[in-house]
Amino acid sequence: MLKIEGLTASVEGKEVLKGIDLEVPAGEVHAIMGPNGSGKSTLGYVLAGREGYEVTGGTVTFRGEDLLGKEPEERAIAGLFLAFQYPVELPGVGNANFLRQALNSVRRARGEPEVDAMQFLKLVRAKVKALGMSDEMLKRYVNVGFSGGEKKRNEILQMAVLEPAFCILDETDSGLDIDALRIVADGVNALRSPERGMLVITHYQRLLDYIVPDRVHVLLNGRIVRSGGPDLALELEEKGYGEFQEAA
Amino acid sequence: MNAPVVVPAVAPAVAALLDRHAGLKDRLPGARVAWVEAWRHRGAEAFRAGGFPTKRVEAWKYTDLSPLRETRFEEALVATDAHPALPAEAGGEEARIVLLDGRFRADLSQLDTLPDGVRIDSLAALLGVGDAALRDILGAIAPADLPLAGLNAALAEDGVVIRVAPGVAAGRVRIVSLGTAPDGHAVAFHPRNLVVLGAGASLTLLDGAHGAGKGVYWHNAVTEIALGEGARLTHVRLQDEARDAFHTALVAVRVAAKAEYDSFTLVRGARLARNEVHAVLAGPKAALHLNGAQLVDGDRHADTTTVIDHAAPECESNQTVKTVLAGRARGVFQGKIHVRQVAQKTDGYQMNQALLLSPEAEINAKPQLEIYADDVKCSHGATVGELDHDQLFYLRSRGIPEVEAKSMLVQAFLTDAVSLVSDEALRETLLAATDAWWDGVEHPA
C-alpha cells in the first residue's frame, strides 16, 4: 500500500532522512521507533507534503501512484492521513465546520455526494462519544483552548470521520495520561481493518501495548537500522537505543 | 503700503465643480429657502478652500484622489428612468428605501409597513418646502471644514430623511443605494441623508451601496445622524459599489447621553473608497461601536478613517476593524480617539488588524490617541500579518483545497469583527458578502 524506496530529505539544508526503505501492506500496522532527532517526525511530514521538507532522492508510491508529486490535499484525497504530534490551533474556525469541510472535500474529490449539516452531526456525534469527547468540543474553535489530550483525541476524531486508507500517527501518545491513551488507542484500533494501513511513530514502547504493531522499525540518524516483530519494541524498552546507536 | 492680495489658485477640477454649483444652485431643491442656500454656500466655500485634498493633507496622507480628480463627470440633474434590478440582498419584508444615483425613488421603495412615529421622506421634498425641522440638523453634525462633505452640500439633489419619534421602536429599515452609469457616462451624485432618533427610540438600519452596472460613477454621500437621549441605532453598512466606481462617504453621528450607536461597515467594492466616520459622544454614558471590515483586491484602494470624540464623561467606545488585502490592493486605517478633559471615566478600545494575502498588497495603519482627561481607560492595538503556513498546511492535509483553506482562514480572521453584529440575519448577509468577495478574487496559480 505504501512503498518507500531510498528516500532522502533535508530540512533547511540539513539532511535528515538518509535513505529510507519501508513497505507497509494494507491491513498491517507498522511502528517506527527512535530517539529524538532520528527523523521520525520528518518522515511523517515528508509523506504528508509539508512545505520546507525537501525531498532530495528516492520514491514513495502510495496505492500504486507516485505520492511525492502530489499537493498535501491531493494526498489526503488519495487516502493518506497524518495525525499531528502538535495539532494546529485554528482560532475562528469552528471544529464542526472544519470537520465537515474536510469530509466534503474528500467526498467531492472522490465523486461521492456531500453531507449536509444535519447528516454530518448525526455521523459525527457517535464518533465523538466513542472517543470520550463532548459535543461541546465540536462548537469550539479547532484545538483552541484544548488540553494536550483533547487535541490528540481531536486528531483521532478527524481520522474517524475521514476514514482514510492509510494513517500516520506522529507521537500520538505524547502528553496523554494512561486513561486518555487507552481511549485514543481504542479509537485507533477501531479503525484497523484489512483495507487500511497504519504507521505509528513513537518514542516509547508504551503506546504499542495498546496498538499492537505487526512490524517494528528502529529509526536512527535518518536510517532504519533494524526491523522486527512486536517483540523488538520490548527489547528496545529494556535496552534503550544505545546498543543500536553503536551498531549504526 | 498694502500687501498684495493673494488669491489662492483654484485647481481646474475644483473650479469646474464650483461652476457647476453656481450654475445649478437656483435649480437645486430649497433654492429659494434662505437657510438652505446658506448651507449650500458654506459647503461650496469649504470645497473651494480644501478642494480635492492631496496627500500633503494629514487626513489624506495615504489616499491619492488624483484618479477621482482627473475623471470628468457628467452634469448632475440628469434623471435616469432606468430600473436596474435591485440586488438580491434587497429582498425581505422590512421597509425599503431605494436611492437611484442618489435620488430617492418612492416608486421603488417599500414604505407601507412603517410603524406610527416613523417618517421617511425625500430630502429634496423637505428642502423644497423649507422644512424648518431640518434646519438645526442639516450641516450641523458633519464637521464644517471637510471639502468633500462641503461639495456634497453644494450639489446634493436628494437623499433620505429618516425620523423616529421619541420612544418608538422602528424595527428594521433598509436603504438600497444603487449607482448606475447610464450610457457609459461617468456620473457623480452627492446624496445627503439624515437619521434622527428621538429620546429612547430605536432603529436597525441596513445601509447598502451597490453598483448596478460596470460604469464609472462617483458616489459622494454624507449621512448625518442625531441620536436623542437613550436612543439606539444599529447601523450595518455594506459598501458594494461597482468595480470602477469611486466611493467617498462621510457618516457624522452625534450620540446623546445613554444613547448607543452600534455600527458595522463592510467595505468590498469600488476602485477607490474612503469611508470616513466622525462620531461625537456628546452626553454622559453614551456608547459607540465602530466596527468593520475592508476586503480589497486587485488594484483597488480602500480607506477607513474615523474620528471618535469623547466629549462627555463615562462614555464607552469600541472599535475593531479588519482589513484583508489581495493582489496589489492598498488599504488604509486611520483611527483617532480624542478624549477631552471633561470626558473622565472614558472607556475606549481600538483594534485594527490587517491580513496581507499577497506580497504586493499594502496597508497603512495609523492609530491616534489624544487624551486630555486623567481618569480614563483606553487601549489600542494593531497587527499586520499574512496567512499562517502551519494553519494552511493543517487544513490542506485534511483534503481541503488550498483556495478553500485560505478562504476559511480569511473568514476566521474576520470572525471576531463580524461576530460583533448581533443581528443574525445581518451577520449572515455580511458573511455571504465576504464569500462573494472571495469568489471574485484572482488567485495566483
Side-chain angles (χ1 to χ4, degrees):
Chain A
M1 174 166 257
L2 180 75
K3 191 171 185 187
I4 303 172
E5 287 177 298
L7 181 66
T8 57
S10 58
V11 183
E12 290 170 356
K14 185 172 175 277
E15 192 169 60
V16 180
L17 300 183
K18 298 173 181 169
I20 304 269
D21 294 286
L22 178 67
E23 188 168 358
V24 185
E28 289 192 9
V29 174
H30 287 212
I32 298 257
M33 298 187 70
N36 290 331
S38 58
K40 302 192 300 291
S41 287
T42 298
L43 179 60
Y45 285 140
V46 165
L47 294 176
R50 188 178 185 142
E51 242 177 273
Y53 289 75
E54 198 197 343
V55 175
T56 49
T59 59
V60 179
T61 39
F62 178 56
R63 303 173 98 181
E65 286 178 32
D66 167 57
L67 183 74
L68 299 176
K70 289 188 198 297
E71 296 292 329
E73 56 267 39
E74 293 169 340
R75 299 179 194 208
I77 285 157
L80 189 86
F81 182 95
L82 170 68
F84 283 52
Q85 181 181 3
Y86 303 109
V88 178
E89 296 184 5
L90 302 176
V93 179
N95 206 20
N97 180 41
F98 163 63
L99 279 163
R100 189 159 76 90
Q101 293 264 18
L103 178 63
N104 280 335
S105 296
V106 170
R107 291 179 70 97
R108 200 163 54 229
R110 291 178 187 157
E112 296 164 16
E114 297 187 25
V115 295
D116 65 28
M118 291 302 290
Q119 292 168 316
F120 175 74
L121 269 183
K122 207 174 153 189
L123 173 151
V124 79
R125 277 209 171 110
K127 297 181 192 291
V128 163
K129 204 173 165 209
L131 283 163
M133 297 167 70
S134 65
D135 281 3
E136 186 259 340
M137 284 173 72
L138 290 172
K139 293 178 191 150
R140 281 153 64 179
Y141 292 148
V142 178
N143 294 326
V144 177
F146 284 28
S147 70
E150 285 173 330
K151 285 182 180 173
K152 294 299 172 71
R153 282 184 220 193
N154 205 35
E155 292 295 289
I156 306 305
L157 175 65
Q158 292 164 39
M159 205 166 97
V161 167
L162 296 177
E163 299 183 323
F166 195 91
C167 309
I168 303 163
L169 301 162
D170 186 7
E171 307 248 358
T172 296
D173 50 333
S174 68
L176 293 186
D177 63 32
I178 196 71
D179 292 330
L181 181 66
R182 198 169 284 142
I183 291 166
V184 165
D186 286 347
V188 173
N189 286 329
L191 288 165
R192 288 181 83 149
S193 90
E195 288 84 38
R196 184 173 284 130
M198 290 193 192
L199 191 60
V200 180
I201 295 170
T202 182
H203 189 118
Y204 301 105
Q205 180 268 339
R206 185 180 72 155
L207 178 67
L208 305 182
D209 286 342
Y210 299 93
I211 305 171
V212 180
D214 298 294
R215 298 280 293 165
V216 175
H217 310 277
V218 181
L219 188 67
L220 264 181
N221 278 326
R223 284 194 186 88
I224 290 173
V225 294
R226 201 170 145 192
S227 299
D231 292 347
L232 181 56
L234 295 170
E235 190 185 328
L236 270 171
E237 185 71 4
E238 202 178 308
K239 296 182 182 165
Y241 291 108
E243 183 180 323
F244 296 96
Q245 246 141 5
E246 282 156 30
Chain B
M1 203 178 86
N2 290 335
V5 177
V6 178
V7 181
V10 174
V14 173
L17 284 161
L18 288 170
D19 285 350
R20 181 186 295 177
H21 164 71
L24 289 177
K25 66 179 180 183
D26 294 335
R27 287 188 283 154
L28 288 169
R32 275 170 292 278
V33 180
W35 63 266
V36 176
E37 212 170 25
W39 165 66
R40 292 198 189 277
H41 180 72
R42 285 196 305 274
E45 289 311 305
F47 182 63
R48 186 191 305 279
F52 286 97
T54 66
K55 294 174 86 170
R56 287 193 296 275
V57 177
E58 185 64 20
W60 291 86
K61 193 174 173 183
Y62 304 111
T63 293
D64 179 9
L65 287 177
S66 51
L68 175 64
R69 196 180 60 226
E70 286 156 14
T71 304
R72 276 193 61 86
F73 294 99
E74 295 287 314
E75 282 294 314
L77 293 183
V78 181
T80 47
D81 282 322
H83 291 225
L86 297 174
E89 296 95 336
E93 289 167 16
E94 62 263 7
R96 181 180 73 212
I97 298 153
V98 175
L99 297 172
L100 193 59
D101 292 339
R103 281 188 193 76
F104 184 100
R105 292 287 295 256
D107 55 331
L108 300 175
S109 299
Q110 158 59 20
L111 300 171
D112 303 339
T113 53
L114 293 176
D116 288 344
V118 183
R119 288 192 55 183
I120 294 179
D121 299 284
S122 138
L123 177 80
L126 297 182
L127 291 182
V129 298
D131 191 321
L134 301 191
R135 191 175 175 164
D136 297 333
I137 303 161
L138 196 63
I141 300 168
D145 58 345
L146 300 176
L148 297 185
L151 181 66
N152 170 285
L155 291 172
E157 292 170 46
D158 206 349
V160 60
V161 179
I162 302 174
R163 286 176 285 184
V164 183
V168 171
R172 198 190 282 183
V173 172
R174 192 180 287 257
I175 298 176
V176 179
S177 170
L178 272 178
T180 65
D183 309 327
H185 297 297
V187 265
F189 47 97
H190 309 266
R192 168 77 59 145
N193 303 319
L194 300 177
V195 180
V196 181
L197 266 58
S202 67
L203 170 68
T204 295
L205 186 61
L206 177 58
D207 188 352
H210 306 266
K214 288 184 174 144
V216 174
Y217 59 85
W218 176 19
H219 183 186
N220 179 39
V222 175
T223 302
E224 293 183 280
I225 300 170
L227 303 183
E229 202 168 309
R232 188 190 151 87
L233 177 65
T234 301
H235 193 189
V236 175
R237 301 162 65 205
L238 172 58
Q239 189 270 83
D240 188 17
E241 304 276 20
R243 269 202 99 75
D244 292 326
F246 297 93
H247 175 97
T248 50
L250 172 72
V251 170
V253 52
R254 191 172 61 208
V255 191
K258 293 179 187 160
E260 181 175 346
Y261 178 66
D262 180 5
S263 77
F264 188 96
T265 304
L266 180 68
V267 171
R268 58 163 275 208
R271 63 177 284 196
L272 195 167
R274 164 93 158 189
N275 163 36
E276 187 164 339
V277 181
H278 288 246
V280 181
L281 294 154
K285 296 188 173 161
L288 178 73
H289 308 279
L290 274 190
N291 302 311
Q294 309 190 91
L295 311 175
V296 209
D297 62 303
D299 289 313
R300 297 170 42 226
H301 179 103
D303 171 336
T304 287
T305 293
T306 63
V307 179
I308 299 171
D309 181 0
H310 279 266
E314 295 180 70
C315 294
E316 176 197 342
S317 68
N318 293 297
Q319 183 171 34
T320 299
V321 175
K322 305 255 184 172
T323 304
V324 182
L325 295 136
R328 291 167 302 280
R330 295 281 177 276
V332 178
F333 172 79
Q334 302 185 105
K336 183 171 175 177
I337 301 175
H338 184 101
V339 181
R340 300 194 201 191
Q341 199 167 0
V342 67
Q344 299 295 352
K345 309 273 184 204
T346 286
D347 188 345
Y349 172 79
Q350 181 191 77
M351 174 59 74
N352 84 84
Q353 296 181 303
L355 179 63
L356 301 175
L357 299 175
S358 132
E360 292 155 297
E362 188 180 305
I363 177 82
N364 285 289
K366 191 176 75 179
Q368 216 181 335
L369 269 66
E370 281 183 21
I371 301 173
Y372 298 96
D374 50 20
D375 182 15
V376 302
K377 196 173 94 186
C378 274
S379 61
H380 74 102
T383 65
V384 179
E386 47 185 55
L387 287 179
D388 184 298
H389 289 277
D390 290 344
Q391 294 181 339
L392 203 52
F393 173 64
Y394 192 59
L395 289 165
R396 294 176 71 192
S397 78
R398 298 308 182 237
I400 298 170
E402 187 173 6
V403 170
E404 205 179 308
K406 284 183 175 171
S407 162
M408 288 173 76
L409 294 177
V410 169
Q411 292 273 14
F413 170 75
L414 295 172
T415 287
D416 51 344
V418 176
S419 66
L420 297 170
V421 178
S422 50
D423 185 309
E424 194 182 337
L426 295 183
R427 204 165 58 235
E428 290 301 318
T429 301
L430 294 175
L431 288 173
T434 64
D435 273 345
W437 173 77
W438 180 260
D439 290 342
V441 171
E442 281 178 33
H443 303 290

